[in-house]
Amino acid sequence: MAVFPYKEYDGIGLAELIRNREVTAEEVIDAAIAEIEKKNHDVNAVINKMYDKAKGKAEQFDLSGEFSGVPILLKNIAQEIKDGPITNGSRAYCHYKAAEDSTFVERIRKTGTIFIGQTNIPELALMGITEPAFYGPTRNPWNLNYTPGGSSGGSAAAVASGMVPIAGANDGGGSIRIPAAFTGLFGLKPTRGRTPVGKKEGRHWQGAAVDHVLTRTVRDSALMLDLIKGYERSAAFHTGPYEVNYFEAVKTPFPRPMRIAFSTISPIGTEVDPECKEAVYKAVKILESFGHIVEEKNAPVDGKKLAKSFMTLYFGEVAASLKEIEEMLGRKVRIGDVEPSTYILGLLGKATTAEDFVLSIREWDKAAIQMETFHDTYDFYVTPTTAYPPSKIGELDITSFENYLIHIIGTLHLQRAVKKLGIVDQMIENNLKRTPFTQMANLTGQPAMSVPLHVTNKGLPVGVQFLSAKGREDLLFQMAGLLEQTDAWIDVKKNEMF
């Protein structure tokens, strides 16, 4: 195998090397495998290796795709490969095999990338950390004692440690942006309907969840979105009128100063760590130095109502997933089939009424209209990506007492009483206080990105989130391309494991 600095190249760079015959696709795949084998024992990012298929593909690939020969990892939920395992991070799905490629996977395949494995996720992709009981925790390459975030934590850790330049991800409440922030990567959540959701479904999480990728460079993310976007007849939602070349947008200067609003105040009224605020203040100074017009102003939405509507979705979707597991198992789901926290979320979903669910969707639409009006004035809305830096592995585990309560609630069917006692409001705060900024874009449908501009005094990255109006990923890529050229942009290659 030829020796070349594999980790120094992004996806586009590797594809150019292969296209110019400076390296072979087999050599690139071998280099990726070597990185995974060297680091995965410590990081635990890859839970299903597909080396033989990847090598076979590398031997017979062609140069027709923009990313031909580039290794990629897929997230172990929604991104289904025909006849491949898709466990959704849960023991309950340990024997499940996909019947066909998802549309997202079909389109990724056409880019010329070579699938080399699947990445770790929290059970059913429910958490902002990646510590499933079934596979064990994924660790942050910047410091193995800390989380890389979730739910796309395995993908983020793989890219940030240099295993692959690109990895599949999806985002239903921050699951691309949170791990991007915690690992020093670029992560963009596209507009609702921009990327495919089929073939089995017309929507993911009622339209809150969308698929894309995590990358080290902005241009990789932009080109990938150019290649996988587009109409899908089975999709329930389709995007707005802005159809541009995102790869070119990365290199395009703004024709005028942008109007930018920013806030460091948690939309649910909880605390925000000074380091996460500092990341935003640093971004504001950079934006002002470029001549943009920046104003401190909160988004015009009721953050607490929106958070409650998100958790209503959360409860309902988990209950529906547990119902599907019961149909698959042919019996009732028990604690042990799924983790205790998943089980109690499902019980609360069963106690959620149709009225609750409809009212929560109406809250989404109200917020979406408010934000569209907001963006008539402001091109961007800037916040911390998260309210806190990465937590330590195990720090957010449920306690033995909480585990005991879950068993009691489940055994005695007390979930309705739990809701009436107002405990759910406390659950909302506990679940979202560390990540209160990301859910809004999922519910309004607008695009949002996390950019890596700050490292804490403990040596851990945190991100800055930018939102734009629905359909305006081009503006986000323009801004990211501008920021990527500054000294503040984190070079992920500086982490010791890269």
Side-chain angles (χ1 to χ4, degrees):
M1 181 181 78
V3 177
F4 72 102
Y6 163 76
K7 296 180 294 179
E8 297 295 316
Y9 293 92
D10 65 357
I12 291 172
L14 288 173
E16 289 174 348
L17 288 179
I18 294 168
R19 196 173 295 115
N20 294 334
R21 314 247 180 225
E22 296 177 52
V23 297
T24 66
E26 294 99 314
E27 287 168 341
V28 171
I29 294 302
D30 284 341
I33 291 171
E35 290 299 317
I36 294 171
E37 289 302 299
K38 177 182 176 182
K39 297 167 180 173
N40 199 55
H41 179 269
D42 292 326
V43 178
N44 194 30
V46 182
I47 50 85
N48 179 33
K49 299 170 183 177
M50 302 164 57
Y51 296 166
D52 290 342
K53 288 184 178 179
K55 288 182 176 182
K57 180 69 175 176
E59 290 172 359
Q60 53 184 306
F61 89 110
D62 58 51
L63 292 170
S64 60
E66 296 283 355
F67 287 103
S68 284
V70 176
I72 189 171
L73 291 159
L74 296 173
K75 186 174 176 180
N76 188 29
I77 191 168
Q79 299 174 4
E80 298 189 340
I81 303 173
K82 183 179 180 180
D83 298 325
I86 195 87
T87 65
N88 305 309
S90 176
R91 190 179 308 278
Y93 287 95
C94 63
H95 299 300
Y96 179 81
K97 296 289 181 70
E100 59 186 348
D101 284 356
S102 68
T103 310
F104 178 84
V105 165
E106 284 183 342
R107 293 189 185 179
I108 290 284
R109 197 189 295 277
K110 288 178 181 177
T111 71
T113 53
I114 296 177
F115 305 151
I116 200 167
Q118 293 174 316
T119 59
N120 201 7
I121 65 166
E123 186 169 60
L124 305 186
L126 294 177
M127 299 296 174
I129 57 175
T130 302
E131 301 177 26
F134 190 36
Y135 292 111
T138 296
R139 296 176 181 274
N140 195 323
W142 290 81
N143 186 323
L144 296 176
N145 293 317
Y146 289 84
T147 182
S151 64
S152 305
S155 293
V159 175
S161 64
M163 295 179 188
V164 290
I166 307 171
N170 39 49
D171 190 319
S175 290
I176 287 175
R177 290 159 288 156
I178 294 166
F182 286 173
T183 58
L185 300 178
F186 176 72
L188 178 130
K189 180 203 84 68
T191 299
R192 179 181 299 153
R194 180 71 73 198
T195 57
V197 296
K199 307 182 182 89
K200 295 193 305 182
E201 299 177 274
R203 69 188 75 194
H204 291 158
W205 273 45
Q206 309 309 311
V210 295
D211 285 74
H212 190 39
V213 294
L214 279 159
T215 60
R216 297 198 302 270
T217 64
V218 178
R219 68 176 190 168
D220 272 359
S221 179
L223 180 58
M224 187 63 77
L225 190 57
D226 277 327
L227 297 173
I228 66 174
K229 71 180 181 183
Y231 175 78
E232 182 185 28
R233 65 180 183 177
S234 61
F237 306 101
H238 300 98
T239 52
Y242 299 102
E243 294 289 347
V244 300
N245 184 299
Y246 300 126
F247 181 72
E248 291 301 322
V250 174
K251 301 176 286 184
T252 304
F254 289 110
R256 60 172 174 82
M258 295 287 103
R259 288 290 305 273
I260 302 167
F262 80 94
S263 176
T264 60
I265 298 172
S266 166
I268 61 173
T270 49
E271 292 185 7
V272 178
D273 188 275
E275 292 272 19
C276 297
K277 292 181 180 181
E278 179 58 30
V280 173
Y281 299 144
K282 182 186 292 186
V284 166
K285 289 180 181 178
I286 295 169
L287 295 169
E288 289 177 333
S289 74
F290 287 139
H292 298 306
I293 303 163
V294 187
E295 176 184 350
E296 189 165 8
K297 189 175 181 66
N298 294 329
V301 301
D302 187 322
K304 290 185 177 180
K305 282 187 178 180
L306 203 60
K308 191 168 185 177
S309 73
F310 174 76
M311 291 303 291
T312 299
L313 165 78
Y314 201 60
F315 297 153
E317 287 288 340
V318 177
S321 293
L322 296 191
K323 183 67 174 177
E324 290 180 350
I325 290 173
E326 288 179 346
E327 292 173 356
M328 182 176 65
L329 297 177
R331 60 170 173 79
K332 291 286 186 182
V333 167
R334 299 187 289 263
I335 298 179
D337 296 320
V338 295
E339 296 172 26
S341 57
T342 304
Y343 186 76
I344 190 64
L345 289 169
L347 290 179
L348 291 170
K350 288 182 179 180
T352 299
T353 67
E355 178 187 36
D356 293 335
F357 205 84
V358 170
L359 288 173
S360 75
I361 298 295
R362 289 180 180 177
E363 199 63 40
W364 297 18
D365 293 343
K366 184 189 300 183
I369 293 167
Q370 290 168 330
M371 287 305 294
E372 283 297 292
T373 302
F374 184 75
H375 284 297
D376 287 341
T377 301
Y378 299 101
D379 299 292
F380 298 99
Y381 181 52
V382 178
T383 72
T385 305
T386 64
Y388 288 84
S391 58
K392 284 189 173 182
I393 298 293
E395 182 179 340
L396 303 183
D397 285 351
I398 62 171
T399 66
S400 57
F401 179 68
E402 289 169 333
N403 197 9
Y404 171 74
L405 282 180
I406 290 170
H407 278 79
I408 294 297
I409 292 166
T411 303
L412 300 180
H413 304 287
L414 298 176
Q415 59 266 29
R416 292 189 186 277
V418 167
K419 292 196 77 174
K420 288 180 180 179
L421 288 171
I423 296 175
V424 170
D425 289 338
Q426 188 60 49
M427 286 184 64
I428 292 172
E429 182 174 311
N430 290 343
N431 272 272
L432 299 183
K433 69 179 181 181
R434 301 187 72 88
T435 56
F437 296 102
T438 50
Q439 295 79 30
M440 181 173 71
N442 297 91
L443 306 190
T444 60
Q446 61 195 109
M449 67 180 180
S450 180
V451 293
L453 298 177
H454 185 66
V455 175
T456 71
N457 56 20
K458 291 185 177 179
L460 293 164
V462 292
V464 179
Q465 177 178 238
F466 285 69
L467 289 81
S468 60
K470 281 190 286 189
R472 298 311 306 264
E473 290 95 331
D474 59 316
L475 291 180
L476 293 175
F477 281 123
Q478 278 183 273
M479 181 60 75
L482 182 66
L483 293 170
E484 192 176 28
Q485 304 309 311
T486 68
D487 292 337
W489 190 272
I490 294 172
D491 182 0
V492 76
K493 294 191 289 294
K494 291 180 180 177
N495 91 58
E496 292 183 3
M497 183 167 285
F498 191 90

